Amino acid sequence: MADSPDVVPEFAVSDWRVSRAFYCDLLGFSCRYDRPEEAFAYLTRGAAHLMLDQIGQGRDFIVPTAHPIGQGVNVQIRVDDLTPLVAALQGRGWPLHLLPEDRWYRRDRVEVGNRQFVVADPDGYLLRFYQDLGERPWENATSGQT
C-alpha cells in the first residue's frame, strides 16, 4: 500500500468483529478493508494504522497462553483532541487504565508535553492516546546533567 506507514502493528485478537467494533465505533478508526473469511481487518485513524487478526482463523503467528492476549503491549497514538475519545469511552462505561493527564518527558535538553490517557482494548492491548502540548526548556539543562 503506497500510503501505509513503514510499521503497522498486527494485533492477534480473540474476536475480530468485537475488536473492530471497539476501534471503529468507540475510537474513531475506519476499516480500510477486511477479509471476513480470514477474520482480518486493516484499520486507520489519521496516520495511525493497525491490523486485527483473529487467533485460530487464517495464519497465526503466536500461540497465546493466557488472557489478556495483548498484555505488555502499549501503543501510542497521536490525536488532535482527547475529549471526544474520553467522552465516547465513558459514555459506554469502558474503563480507562490511566485517566487523562498532562505529562512532560525529557528529550535531550527540552521537555515534550503530552495530554494523554490509556485504555485497554478487549484483548488487553494498551492504547495511549495523546495530544501534543509542545516543548519547553528542561529545567536541569543548565546544571550539566544529561
Side-chain angles (χ1 to χ4, degrees), residues 1 3-9 11 23-24 27-32 41-51 75-80 85 127-130:
M1 225 179 289
D3 59 344
S4 292
D6 291 339
V7 175
V8 180
F11 293 168
Y23 282 90
C24 293
L27 301 179
F29 279 79
S30 297
C31 184
R32 181 178 274 190
Y42 191 105
L43 308 179
T44 61
R45 187 182 199 287
H49 294 227
L50 65 89
M51 298 178 284
V75 178
Q76 181 171 282
I77 303 166
R78 183 171 40 101
V79 296
D80 292 332
L85 286 172
L127 310 169
R128 182 189 332 198
F129 287 91
Y130 81 100

Side-chain angles (χ1 to χ4, degrees), residues 14-27:
S14 55
D15 185 326
W16 77 286
R17 292 182 193 279
V18 168
S19 293
R20 185 177 65 180
F22 172 78
Y23 282 90
C24 293
D25 297 347
L26 281 176
L27 301 179

